[in-house]
Amino acid sequence: MSDIILEMKDILKIYPNGIVANEHINLSLKKGEIHALLGENGAGKSTLMKVLFGIEIPEEGEIILKGKRVYIKSPHEAIANGIGMVHQHFMLVPSLTAAENIILGVEPRKFGLFTNMEKAIEVADNIAKMYNFDIDVRAKVETLPVGIKQKVEILKALYRGAEILILDEPTAVLTPQETEELFIQLNKLKEKGHTIIFISHKLDEIKLICDRLTIMRNGKNKGTYKTEDVTTEEISRLMVGRDVFLEFDKEKANPKKTVLKVRDVSVKNKLGNLKVNNISFDIREGEILGIAGVEGNGQNELVDILTGLNENYTGNVLIFNKEAKELGIKGIRDLKVSHIPEDRMTYGCAKDMDILQNVFSNQYGDEKYSSKYLLKSKAMETRAEELIDEFLIKCNSFKQSVGMLSGGNIQKVVVAREFSVGPKIIVANQPTRGIDVGAAEFIRKKIIEFRDQGCAVLLVSADLNEVFELSDRLAVMYKGEFSGVFTNVEELTEEELGKYMLGLKKDEKLEGIIYE
Amino acid sequence: MSKTSKLNILRTALSIIIALAISFIIIYFISEEPFRAINKMILGPLRSRRIFGNVIELMIPLIFTGVGVCIMFSASQFNLGAEGSFHIGGLVGAMAALWIPLPSFIHPLVAILLGGIAGAIFTFIPALLKIKTSSSELVSSLMLNYIALSFGNYILSYFLKDPKAGAPASYLIPNTARLSILINDTSIHTGLIIAILVTIFGYIFLYKSKTGYEIRVAGQNEQFARYSGINIVKVILISQLLGGFIAGIGGSVQLLGMYRRFSWIVLLGYGWDAVIVTTLAKKNPLYVPISAFFLAYIRIGADIMSRTTDVSPEIVSITQGVIIILIVAEQFLSKYRHKIITKEAKSLLDTEGVE
Ligand SMILES: Nc1ncnc2c1ncn2[C@@H]1O[C@H](COP(=O)(O)OP(=O)(O)OP(=O)(O)O)[C@@H](O)[C@H]1O
Ligand SMILES: [Mg+2]
């Protein structure tokens, strides 16, 4: 078959800790197709792609590119072979600018020696415009929110002109509009004859854009299908090995007294730009306030203020009637406020420490787990095992380093830790990012359970389904302000919401955001 | 998992062997009598009880500075002030011994405690500078060590100096303050017991206590620690105060156990060596005595070799260097290690068969 561009044959990958991540996997790609790779968290998708990109060396198996066997031992060789990859956890240099990251390794030169910076910025800017990505290529990567970092990663791979492009969960952090834009570009690439491997947990996206799909489970290939030949239900069944029920009922909220009161809050970033502009809202016990919006419109800054990470703001934040600034991070956490951070690798975990040490960072001081000075190891171990079971964290044992878990499983560690304190307020920023369908529904159910027990929830999510499904009230953030508030989420349509998200519509009264 | 820990031990052992082998090759080329030299270096320390005692005596100060540095490095506070703390600890220990008359037993304890406090104050300076001015503790502690030395020389010349002693040295340390000998025919003193206690304390503190946990989390990812509600300022302060305290104790123990007068007019180097000890021990206080013992052993061995043959003791620096490089090099032996694991995992796969 001449239209097969790449074949991976009998790939066996065993990690140094003995985990068999790929168990004799076969995968073949046709030239000019978009091929989806799906499977639960920890199924081995990222690993298989890392093998293809030369980051991991397989124990057995071969890679055949255009009919010739190739040995890819480093990303450098992968790139030389026309393979590009967008990583699930970004591989960007934080202290460099977006432009520098995009051109890194293939810089335009001045006098054949120095990087031509003006040229670099121009090149990066052009390519960003070409793909309709709205980013400031002069900004340092460390200052960028994850959504933008993701775009920089995508541009970096596209700039290298990959013939085969691997995208490991590129849409996890994108908004629907951005995803749509990306898909247009991917289709263009496909028309030009590029081949794309697309990893995602969002089945509707896969149905929308992919020609074929391969399902992985427990490190094995469970079959390759034409997208139109399988239904979403079938895909879920193949992935999980049993039927998955995605629907569940949510009772009407029964909110009680206000526990989080935000008044006239504004904050500027380091460059002096106003990121949150005079925002006020209330959340009561037993309700979920969703915040929708295109990433970068002040959601993260707002979350940082509520959780005590940023104290350089004006206005008032009252948590159980106490001023947040006076409480500090620890004080806020002591009031049982949980925080699922947007950037799990920076704030959410210590990747070189084991699971156990990661799930107790917010509660080791609890008398269940420590006396005045010493930790109670036994109790901690028992609890860690319970959490691993409850949150379906795929691992060897609680002694496994978090950095050695799959992306979705790292997220589960973060969620398990934040949910296990018996929270009274949850500030959840993209809680199910990167998590497979089954586990995501589990987490959403948990959030509703907490709500029904009287917990107040602030949910920031780029996943519109999630926002619709969970929110009792919904606010839209645009340019640091609320552009709309909806108290009857059931009646709201996606189109309508989209207009507020893009700033086409603005509601000046914002009724129902504050309780008197 | 025990298989991997066995492999870790194998790795360390093998790096030591390779390092020694390299040293031997060098000795072979530079020495007139290479085999005698190597023999002296390897077996010399075992020749007599007294010489083996020297190894233990050298191990004791290394344990103190090693445990101290373990604590600071676990917090990712690269404070190299253990050297200065040790020096000041010895100085203050001597001052306390000379100036505060106390009955025996109590006397050394008070002197050691004061030495520890002085050591803590010393490492506190870079910590404070870091918190107040975000200056790197690495640089400031490095510089401060020389201030510690000069300060010690000043106190010695103006307040402690015994004019009757030939070289610059203090008055005789009173017997009430000196640490008694623990093992006959050697100079191994009761400081060994304190060193063991400090090791156990260091381990429990770092790995079993709440504060130790905070220190390690902050050392691994400071932003995660802050987000979790851990007080970063507290971590920076406590780790360095405690590290300096332990190094300071080490200084006074060394002085009261091994010296009749305070006569340190140069830095003794136990603080620098502690970085090697800590690296070998992988920042775990429990392994500090072992790595301190090893370092002491090759130092004494090299010393004997240089005194009895034509090889200079600097050869040990090469051995040390190679060992450190091999141990720090993650990739060393990883191929072999991976092979074993792959084989194991595959045999499991085969027996499991289909799901
Ligand atoms: N560096 C590593 N060292 C050891 N084990 C690892 C490492 N990376 C991944 N694993 C293990 O390999 C398995 C497969 O992980 P992989 O990252 O390929 O999953 P994935 O399918 O991409 O999952 P996700 O959807 O969560 O991203 C997991 O069980 C994980 O624990
Ligand atoms: Mg993955």
Side-chain angles (χ1 to χ4, degrees):
Chain A
M1 278 210 288
S2 62
D3 66 335
I4 297 286
I5 182 164
L6 178 103
E7 265 184 290
M8 298 181 82
K9 280 192 182 162
D10 207 30
I11 301 289
L12 175 70
K13 173 67 208 172
I14 300 171
Y15 276 112
N17 54 1
I19 289 179
V20 185
N22 290 161
E23 201 180 324
H24 302 293
I25 291 207
N26 293 303
L27 178 73
S28 70
L29 299 178
K30 289 184 189 162
K31 187 169 166 57
E33 74 168 338
I34 302 185
H35 192 116
L37 208 52
L38 320 119
E40 287 183 289
N41 294 131
K45 307 177 294 289
S46 296
T47 303
L48 187 66
M49 291 304 106
K50 284 181 191 163
V51 166
L52 180 55
F53 196 57
I55 296 176
E56 298 288 350
I57 309 297
E59 272 60 56
E60 286 174 18
E62 45 190 71
I63 297 173
I64 293 165
L65 184 66
K66 299 178 189 158
K68 269 214 323 269
R69 173 147 190 204
V70 289
Y71 299 86
I72 302 173
K73 294 214 172 58
S74 69
H76 196 74
E77 289 168 42
I79 293 167
N81 275 303
I83 300 171
M85 178 159 179
V86 172
H87 298 276
Q88 182 172 17
H89 295 132
F90 314 127
M91 310 229 173
L92 299 170
V93 186
S95 56
L96 296 184
T97 64
E100 285 168 315
N101 267 287
I102 291 171
I103 54 140
L104 194 67
V106 281
E107 299 92 345
R109 297 280 175 188
K110 210 192 261 175
F111 315 123
L113 189 61
F114 305 105
T115 304
N116 185 338
M117 268 334 289
E118 297 98 78
K119 189 82 196 300
I121 288 172
E122 193 188 312
V123 166
D125 215 30
N126 280 344
I127 180 160
K129 290 229 176 65
M130 190 166 118
Y131 290 98
N132 260 328
F133 283 168
D134 178 24
I135 57 176
D136 174 12
V137 296
R138 285 181 185 82
K140 275 196 180 169
V141 162
E142 61 196 352
T143 64
L144 300 174
V146 216
I148 310 278
K149 282 187 198 157
Q150 176 74 78
K151 289 182 208 163
V152 176
E153 270 275 1
I154 295 174
L155 291 178
K156 190 174 135 194
L158 291 174
Y159 178 60
R160 282 162 179 67
E163 218 178 323
I164 298 175
L165 183 61
I166 305 163
L167 300 166
D168 194 352
E169 300 196 29
T171 58
V173 297
L174 298 184
T175 55
Q177 288 83 353
E178 291 165 338
T179 303
E180 224 169 89
E181 201 58 58
L182 175 69
F183 285 177
I184 294 173
Q185 299 306 331
L186 293 183
N187 275 322
K188 273 192 199 155
L189 285 173
K190 173 179 147 182
E191 275 156 31
K192 285 192 216 152
H194 293 253
T195 309
I196 295 161
I197 305 179
F198 185 82
I199 301 179
S200 172
H201 290 292
K202 299 177 184 166
L203 300 185
D204 40 347
E205 287 181 355
I206 285 169
K207 295 240 49 151
L208 193 69
I209 186 174
C210 297
D211 304 297
R212 293 197 303 157
L213 53 89
T214 294
I215 293 170
M216 292 182 64
R217 170 154 39 107
N218 273 334
K220 294 195 215 42
N221 185 336
K222 288 285 157 189
T224 298
Y225 304 85
K226 278 205 176 127
T227 310
E228 60 262 29
D229 292 350
V230 278
T231 63
T232 317
E233 287 72 34
E234 281 168 328
I235 298 176
S236 312
R237 184 162 356 102
L238 283 162
M239 260 166 50
V240 188
R242 59 182 158 74
D243 284 318
V244 201
F245 302 99
L246 296 179
E247 315 289 300
F248 58 86
D249 294 325
K250 186 178 88 179
E251 314 243 308
K252 210 157 167 43
N254 182 16
K256 303 224 166 59
K257 61 176 201 287
T258 303
V259 289
L260 179 65
K261 208 177 233 189
V262 176
R263 290 294 178 273
D264 311 321
V265 164
S266 300
V267 74
K268 285 184 180 155
N269 66 4
K270 285 204 187 95
L271 303 171
N273 301 330
L274 200 58
K275 297 305 279 186
V276 172
N277 186 5
N278 210 20
I279 276 199
S280 303
F281 64 91
D282 287 329
I283 306 184
R284 291 179 294 183
E285 295 175 330
E287 72 165 347
I288 301 172
L289 172 65
I291 294 193
V294 176
E295 173 127 18
N297 275 288
Q299 300 94 318
N300 293 342
E301 286 80 1
L302 180 63
V303 165
D304 282 355
I305 290 169
L306 302 183
T307 52
L309 286 168
N310 183 356
E311 296 188 337
N312 296 316
Y313 60 90
T314 55
N316 301 86
V317 174
L318 294 172
I319 301 171
F320 292 105
N321 283 323
K322 296 197 180 76
E323 192 66 59
K325 260 186 212 174
E326 282 155 28
L327 290 167
I329 302 174
K330 179 74 169 49
I332 292 173
R333 280 198 175 271
D334 285 344
L335 292 174
K336 298 252 184 279
V337 178
S338 277
H339 173 198
I340 299 175
E342 178 227 15
D343 188 344
R344 61 179 168 239
M345 299 316 278
T346 309
Y347 293 104
C349 69
K351 71 177 168 44
D352 292 327
M353 295 183 104
D354 60 24
I355 298 177
L356 181 132
Q357 311 200 46
N358 269 279
V359 288
F360 285 104
S361 70
N362 60 344
Q363 52 189 310
Y364 60 94
D366 190 304
E367 58 184 24
K368 283 198 290 263
Y369 308 120
S370 60
S371 53
K372 190 146 190 273
Y373 298 110
L374 294 183
L375 299 168
K376 296 178 180 165
S377 311
K378 206 80 236 125
M380 289 169 91
E381 286 171 14
T382 317
R383 181 68 176 142
E385 271 165 4
E386 277 169 23
L387 290 175
I388 286 171
D389 287 346
E390 184 183 351
F391 287 85
L392 310 166
I393 298 166
K394 194 175 173 221
C395 61
N396 281 350
S397 75
F398 57 72
K399 292 207 182 98
Q400 192 172 341
S401 305
V402 163
M404 290 185 179
L405 296 175
S406 79
N409 282 299
I410 297 175
Q411 183 72 15
K412 288 186 207 165
V413 169
V414 175
V415 173
R417 177 185 62 232
E418 297 304 316
F419 282 4
S420 59
V421 294
K424 298 225 171 72
I425 298 177
I426 297 175
V427 179
N429 199 351
Q430 323 290 356
T432 61
R433 173 173 283 172
I435 289 192
D436 65 51
V437 249
E441 284 309 300
F442 169 78
I443 289 173
R444 291 179 195 149
K445 270 187 200 156
K446 269 275 183 211
I447 291 181
I448 291 176
E449 243 174 73
F450 279 124
R451 180 202 75 171
D452 292 343
Q453 290 160 15
C455 180
V457 181
L458 180 80
L459 169 75
V460 179
S461 180
D463 182 339
L464 284 192
N465 287 335
E466 183 163 277
V467 179
F468 273 111
E469 196 176 349
L470 293 183
S471 307
D472 299 312
R473 282 184 304 151
L474 180 57
V476 183
M477 239 179 137
Y478 178 73
K479 294 213 166 144
E481 298 176 9
F482 284 144
S483 61
V485 175
F486 308 93
T487 44
N488 46 348
V489 180
E490 307 81 45
E491 292 162 28
L492 184 65
T493 64
E494 246 180 71
E495 290 71 45
E496 182 73 2
L497 187 63
K499 286 180 191 156
Y500 287 91
M501 283 171 63
L502 295 172
L504 302 175
K505 259 184 145 177
K506 191 161 179 354
D507 171 3
E508 297 292 344
K509 290 204 284 297
L510 299 178
E511 260 167 53
I513 195 72
I514 301 179
Y515 299 115
E516 292 310 334
Chain B
M1 275 293 106
S2 79
K3 197 134 206 169
T4 10
S5 55
K6 261 190 224 149
L7 268 161
N8 271 334
I9 295 172
L10 179 78
R11 246 182 67 151
T12 311
L14 209 64
S15 10
I16 291 173
I17 291 170
I18 293 176
L20 288 174
I22 293 176
S23 320
F24 293 161
I25 293 171
I26 296 171
I27 293 173
Y28 185 81
F29 282 113
I30 59 170
S31 174
E32 296 284 312
E33 34 177 8
F35 294 108
R36 206 169 83 86
I38 290 168
N39 186 355
K40 289 283 174 206
M41 182 173 164
I42 295 290
L43 299 175
L46 299 177
R47 211 180 47 205
S48 75
R49 187 176 165 124
R50 187 183 56 79
I51 300 180
F52 190 73
N54 292 151
V55 175
I56 306 295
E57 289 148 27
L58 178 54
M59 177 180 95
I60 295 172
L62 292 175
I63 292 180
F64 285 102
T65 49
V67 171
V69 171
C70 272
I71 293 172
M72 295 193 280
F73 278 25
S74 290
S76 282
Q77 300 301 316
F78 299 106
N79 188 327
L80 296 177
E83 185 66 50
S85 287
F86 190 91
H87 198 84
I88 299 276
L91 174 74
V92 170
M95 286 156 73
L98 291 168
W99 293 349
I100 313 174
L102 283 168
S104 41
F105 192 71
I106 308 279
H107 203 171
L109 286 186
V110 169
I112 290 169
L113 193 71
L114 290 175
I117 292 172
I121 292 173
F122 182 74
T123 42
F124 178 71
I125 302 170
L128 195 69
L129 286 174
K130 177 163 188 173
I131 291 168
K132 292 287 173 206
T133 69
S134 340
S135 63
S136 150
E137 73 282 6
L138 191 123
V139 177
S140 53
S141 63
L142 211 56
M143 295 299 124
L144 278 164
N145 283 339
Y146 296 100
I147 296 181
L149 174 63
S150 305
F151 178 71
N153 286 348
Y154 170 77
I155 299 282
L156 175 58
S157 335
Y158 286 90
F159 300 98
L160 300 179
K161 194 164 163 198
D162 180 355
K164 287 200 286 299
S170 73
Y171 289 96
L172 274 178
I173 305 281
N175 274 333
T176 46
R178 298 200 61 202
L179 292 170
S180 48
I181 298 290
L182 198 62
I183 297 172
N184 287 335
D185 302 335
T186 70
S187 315
I188 300 175
H189 48 89
T190 41
L192 180 63
I193 297 171
I194 305 176
I196 292 171
L197 292 177
V198 160
T199 302
I200 297 170
F201 167 80
Y203 172 70
I204 293 178
F205 173 75
L206 257 187
Y207 287 90
K208 305 283 172 197
S209 83
K210 284 203 275 201
T211 313
Y213 174 74
E214 291 169 355
I215 285 179
R216 285 181 300 119
V217 171
Q220 288 288 338
N221 181 350
E222 192 181 305
Q223 281 171 303
F224 169 57
R226 196 172 98 84
Y227 146 94
S228 299
I230 290 172
N231 185 339
I232 303 291
V233 171
K234 176 180 152 193
V235 164
I236 294 178
L237 285 181
I238 293 209
S239 59
Q240 289 174 75
L241 278 173
L242 195 58
F245 181 73
I246 292 175
I249 291 185
S252 29
V253 165
Q254 181 72 354
L255 186 91
L256 302 178
M258 300 293 292
Y259 292 79
R260 304 179 65 81
R261 303 166 185 271
F262 179 81
S263 55
W264 301 352
I265 49 168
V266 290
L267 293 172
L268 302 184
Y270 298 114
W272 311 133
D273 290 342
V275 178
I276 302 177
V277 171
T278 302
T279 312
L280 283 175
K282 301 226 168 269
K283 291 192 270 191
N284 186 339
L286 215 48
Y287 301 137
V288 162
I290 304 172
S291 56
F293 175 80
F294 170 72
L295 195 62
Y297 191 97
I298 58 168
R299 286 270 168 86
I300 299 289
D303 205 40
I304 295 169
M305 175 178 69
S306 72
R307 278 191 279 113
T308 51
T309 69
D310 58 349
V311 184
S312 69
E314 275 73 32
I315 193 79
V316 166
S317 313
I318 297 177
T319 320
Q320 278 174 19
V322 176
I323 294 172
I324 298 286
I325 289 169
L326 289 179
I327 287 187
V328 178
E330 294 263 323
Q331 290 302 317
F332 176 56
L333 270 197
S334 68
K335 276 236 170 71
Y336 171 69
R337 182 178 151 174
H338 197 101
K339 239 187 212 143
I340 293 187
I341 288 161
T342 307
K343 219 166 110 195
E344 238 177 56
K346 272 184 75 174
S347 67
L348 266 178
L349 276 187
D350 294 340
T351 50
E352 270 174 22
V354 236
E355 285 183 68

